[in-house]
Amino acid sequence: EGLLDWSSTIEDKPYKKLKGEKGDLVDWPVNPTNQYTYQPVLLYDCLQQSLNTTAVHSLKTLGTEKALSFLQQSFGWDVSFEQEKQKKQGEEEILGNVALGTLYNGVTPIQLAGAYQIFGTGGRYEAPHAVIAIRDAEGKTVYTYQSEKTQVIREDTASIMNRLLKGVVSVGGTGVAAKAKGTELIGKTGTGT
């Protein structure tokens, strides 16, 4: 959409206040460090440090309707609950869940891995599958999986995301423990609310 790029900055500050367990107002969302810098943070650093605040602010910039449409059309995910709730109650009622990865109908680890593969395939999506071919007792192929790839993001966007996600598993990143010697990794750690 051209709203953010690798050098964009997003302010690390709470999005709003919510009523806490004791009835008091508390800042939301909470970052993994339980702190906010109240400063503009480079998008690279936002991902590297898994800043929940910046995820929510970024999605607000894009809009949940566009994000949900992308998830549904590109990956076939069931986001009907969020779409219906948005129609009835407005974007604010689903913003946090969508930004922090909590969909009502959920996604499986295979679906999530399938979505992340677009960064390694130049923006092309192929539905995850387990069977490539089936052969009968004589070794004759009776079924071959026919790959169907769809371009869901631009190739340059996938390349930029790879650069951004590489920071997550680099020194200073929340996923640095996943770094493996002799192989290049990209990744994203989970968020916590």
Side-chain angles (χ1 to χ4, degrees), residues 26-36 50-53 100 192-193:
V26 295
D27 290 332
W28 179 88
V30 177
N31 285 328
T33 60
N34 290 320
Q35 297 176 349
Y36 310 102
S50 197
L51 297 179
N52 295 329
T53 52
L100 301 177
T193 53

Side-chain angles (χ1 to χ4, degrees), residues 38-171:
Y38 295 93
Q39 299 292 320
V41 179
L42 282 172
L43 186 55
Y44 177 89
D45 295 324
C46 296
L47 283 167
Q48 184 186 46
Q49 298 164 26
S50 197
L51 297 179
N52 295 329
T53 52
T54 58
V56 172
H57 288 288
S58 295
L59 181 58
K60 181 65 177 175
T61 299
L62 173 65
T64 56
E65 189 172 334
K66 286 181 184 176
L68 292 172
S69 178
F70 175 79
L71 295 174
Q72 183 180 54
Q73 292 173 9
S74 299
F75 309 128
W77 291 4
D78 182 1
V79 293
S80 57
F81 178 85
E82 286 77 15
Q83 289 170 325
E84 190 60 32
K85 190 167 185 175
Q86 179 168 326
K87 283 180 191 171
K88 290 181 180 176
Q89 299 176 0
E91 180 179 66
E92 289 296 310
E93 292 303 310
I94 63 165
L95 180 66
N97 289 359
V98 175
L100 301 177
T102 307
L103 299 176
Y104 181 79
N105 290 312
V107 294
T108 68
I110 290 173
Q111 287 174 306
L112 192 57
Y116 269 86
Q117 65 151 326
I118 67 174
F119 304 126
T121 60
R124 291 177 304 281
Y125 174 73
E126 179 180 7
H129 59 280
V131 177
I132 297 171
I134 300 174
R135 294 181 179 80
D136 65 16
E138 285 80 42
K140 180 183 171 189
T141 301
V142 295
Y143 168 82
T144 303
Y145 174 77
Q146 297 299 314
S147 175
E148 188 178 313
K149 294 181 180 175
T150 307
Q151 193 78 35
V152 296
I153 62 173
R154 293 187 339 233
E155 189 173 348
D156 61 331
T157 301
S159 177
I160 290 167
M161 281 304 301
N162 285 330
R163 288 175 56 195
L164 292 170
L165 292 172
K166 191 173 182 177
V168 176
V169 293
S170 299
V171 175

